[in-house]
């Protein structure tokens, strides 16, 4: 560390009367909040010049708070979301990019074990392969969210990470444009992930996740690897399920050997037999027993680590299988589901019955599905976890 940084670090510790305390605070006067951020950044050893430059670009953005309070996209059912997101354009562009960057992706696979179609699916879903990066000012967005007291423990470290990106010379404040929640680059990584896994894939001395595709692919591969990707294993497979299947066993939390599902009559989507091995598997019915069916394997957990929404994660994993050569899934004939408001009504009734649905938000997450399964069992309905108007009427 240069001498100037030692001096800055020593002074910041000695003068941190507001430092460590202020660094833990949210809300209050925004100017005082920024002083706490400045002190904490200097205490981390970041250069005064970079800290001053970054902090000077921090402001509160009311549009960021509005976006944070109005997340409703994952209230769509899986068929609506997946059909919209895994479209012909993304599939054709994804295949073209896999071919164009085959050399780099081969090196990424060798180093991380993460296949190209997995990376390309996130690349396509997040920014259409770099075409739509977002136009929110990253430093302003993260400062707004870190100052807001809803989730400061999440966003304050990323705000400091954004300052470090400036300090390392990866991006200038003017270049730091992205999503409303502070994600940056062609696969929308948060600043701490940018710092931890950023890789100079093209050897130009700079990690630029906005413009350099090689940097994007290597960094994303390393990030996925860090989440626990298991080299050489599948992540998702479309399957066919017999009508007499014990539906209560179709749950993401229920992990059984693939051979157990084979013994219950589950086959590949084309009717051919499943492998009868011990690979842990879960049967996912995103729209109940009448809709599409998938076996999810341990690598599917990485998709959930990327985004906890089952709708998004299953879409990303399905998109990866399509880019890897799988045919379109048969959407089946699912029973009609609930819209946003009736889902909230269902969640309220389940909450009144003592279930933890994870909130009255209209989003059918795993908690809501688990509660639905229990009530379906109680009411003598097939326990496939899919909430329908009939279930709502019966509660």
């Amino acid at each position: 560390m240069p001498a100037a940084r030692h001096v800055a670090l020593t002074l910041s510790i000695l003068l941190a009367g507001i430092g460590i305390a202020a660094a833990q605070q949210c809300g209050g006067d925004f100017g005082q909040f920024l002083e706490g951020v400045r002190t904490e950044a200097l205490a981390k050893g970041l250069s005064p010049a970079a800290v001053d430059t970054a902090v000077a670009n921090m402001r509160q953005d009311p549009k960021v708070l509005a976006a944070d309070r109005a997340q409703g996209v994952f209230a769509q059912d899986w068929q609506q979301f997946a059909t919209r997101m895994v479209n012909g354009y993304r599939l054709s562009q994804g295949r073209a990019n896999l071919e164009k960057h085959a050399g780099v992706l081969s090196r990424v696979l060798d180093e991380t074990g993460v296949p190209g179609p997995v990376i390309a699916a996130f690349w396509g879903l997040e920014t259409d392969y770099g075409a739509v990066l977002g136009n929110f000012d990253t430093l302003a967005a993260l400062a707004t969210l870190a100052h807001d007291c809803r989730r400061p423990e999440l966003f304050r470290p990323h705000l400091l990470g954004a300052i470090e990106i400036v300090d390392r010379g990866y991006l200038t404040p003017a270049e730091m444009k992205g999503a409303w929640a502070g994600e940056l680059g062609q696969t929308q990584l948060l600043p701490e992930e940018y710092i931890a896994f950023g890789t100079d894939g093209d050897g130009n001395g700079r990690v630029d996740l906005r413009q350099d595709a090689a940097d994007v692919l290597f960094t994303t591969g390393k990030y996925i690897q860090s989440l626990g990707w298991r080299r050489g294993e599948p992540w998702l497979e479309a399957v066919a399920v017999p009508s007499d299947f014990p539906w209560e066993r179709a749950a993401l939390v229920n992990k059984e050997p693939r051979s157990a599902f084979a013994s219950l009559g589950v086959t590949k989507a084309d009717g051919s037999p499943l492998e009868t091995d011990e690979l842990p598997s879960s049967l996912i019915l995103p729209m109940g027993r009448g809709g599409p069916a998938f076996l999810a394997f341990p690598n599917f957990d990485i998709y959930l680590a990327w985004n906890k929404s089952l709708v998004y994660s299953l879409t990303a994993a399905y998109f990866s299988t399509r880019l890897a050569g799988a045919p379109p899934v048969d959407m089946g004939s699912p029973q009609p589901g609930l819209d946003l408001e009736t889902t909230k009504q269902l969640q309220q009734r389940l909450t009144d019955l003592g279930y933890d649905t994870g909130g009255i938000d209209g989003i059918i997450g795993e908690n809501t599905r688990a509660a639905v399964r229990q009530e379906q069992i109680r009411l003598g309905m097939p326990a496939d976890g899919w909430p329908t108007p009939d279930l709502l009427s019966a509660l």
Side-chain angles (χ1 to χ4, degrees):
M1 182 184 296
R5 275 196 201 176
H6 281 296
V7 172
L9 177 58
T10 302
L11 286 175
S12 68
I13 293 172
L14 292 174
L15 300 177
I18 64 165
I20 301 304
Q24 305 306 315
Q25 293 175 0
C26 62
D29 180 78
F30 190 66
Q32 291 184 1
F33 165 80
L34 292 183
E35 283 303 312
V37 171
R38 183 194 305 273
T39 300
E40 189 174 357
L42 292 171
K44 286 187 66 174
L46 302 181
S47 72
V51 173
D52 288 344
T53 299
V55 171
N57 283 270
M58 295 179 187
R59 57 181 174 79
Q60 290 176 287
D61 185 346
K63 291 182 180 179
V64 169
L65 292 181
D68 185 48
R69 304 298 193 262
Q71 300 182 60
V73 63
F74 298 132
Q76 298 176 52
D77 67 44
W78 186 77
Q79 184 175 1
Q80 290 173 320
F81 188 80
T83 300
R84 181 168 64 87
M85 301 300 283
V86 185
N87 54 43
Y89 170 81
R90 286 202 175 107
L91 286 165
S92 63
Q93 289 297 110
R95 291 167 185 143
N97 275 303
L98 287 172
E99 183 176 349
K100 177 180 179 181
H101 300 285
V104 173
L105 287 166
S106 177
R107 291 163 52 209
V108 174
L109 177 62
D110 288 344
E111 189 166 332
T112 68
V114 181
V118 173
I119 297 171
F122 286 120
W123 193 12
L125 289 179
E126 294 290 345
T127 67
D128 275 336
Y129 311 102
V132 185
L133 297 176
N135 57 8
F136 281 89
D137 185 297
T138 301
L139 289 165
L142 289 169
T144 299
L145 293 166
H147 178 260
D148 181 49
C149 287
R150 194 163 88 86
R151 292 179 292 171
E153 73 287 348
L154 170 62
F155 289 107
R156 190 180 186 102
H158 289 302
L159 179 59
L160 293 164
I163 300 173
E164 188 167 350
I165 290 172
V166 175
D167 189 43
R168 292 191 180 198
Y170 292 164
L171 298 173
T172 67
E175 292 172 319
M176 295 177 75
K177 304 285 186 183
W180 65 264
E183 299 97 337
L184 281 164
Q186 296 188 22
T187 52
Q188 298 287 275
L189 299 184
L190 282 161
E192 282 206 311
E193 298 156 0
Y194 198 131
I195 291 296
F197 306 105
T199 303
D200 179 12
D202 58 5
N204 69 354
R206 182 187 187 203
V207 179
D208 183 352
L209 300 187
R210 285 179 54 85
Q211 302 297 329
D212 293 348
D215 295 3
V216 171
L217 300 177
F218 262 102
T219 300
T220 305
K222 288 188 176 183
Y223 174 57
I224 294 171
Q225 179 190 35
S226 79
L227 298 175
W229 187 266
R230 293 165 57 149
R231 184 186 292 266
E233 292 190 7
W235 54 92
L236 189 77
E237 181 176 18
V239 294
V241 184
S243 60
D244 61 350
F245 184 83
W247 299 109
E248 67 278 2
R249 290 167 73 168
L252 185 59
V253 296
N254 179 46
K255 299 185 185 300
E256 303 186 44
R258 183 157 47 178
S259 58
F261 288 105
S263 70
L264 291 168
V266 178
T267 67
K268 294 180 181 292
D270 63 4
S272 59
L274 286 177
E275 292 84 351
T276 54
D277 55 24
E278 299 303 298
L279 185 65
S281 311
S282 299
L283 182 63
I284 301 178
L285 306 172
M287 301 181 69
R289 66 192 188 282
F294 299 93
L295 277 188
F297 307 109
N299 276 336
F300 181 70
D301 292 344
I302 279 67
Y303 291 86
L304 288 166
W306 184 291
N307 189 309
K308 293 181 180 177
S309 163
L310 180 62
V311 168
Y312 178 95
S313 298
L314 187 58
T315 298
Y318 169 61
F319 189 13
S320 301
T321 67
R322 294 295 311 281
L323 291 174
V329 69
D330 182 357
M331 291 293 179
S333 301
Q335 291 183 308
L338 303 176
D339 61 19
L340 180 66
E341 290 307 313
T342 51
T343 299
K344 289 181 179 179
Q345 293 175 25
L346 172 76
Q347 290 172 325
Q348 185 61 63
R349 293 189 193 181
L350 292 170
T351 299
D352 293 343
L353 289 169
Y355 293 102
D356 174 13
T357 65
I360 313 298
D361 56 9
I363 298 174
I364 304 170
E366 192 56 32
N367 282 24
T368 297
R369 287 180 183 272
V372 165
R373 276 191 292 273
Q374 289 302 310
E375 285 302 295
Q376 287 172 326
I377 292 171
R378 183 180 69 82
L379 294 166
M381 296 177 167
D384 61 3
W386 177 236
T388 63
D390 288 345
L391 174 66
L392 181 58
S393 297
L395 291 177

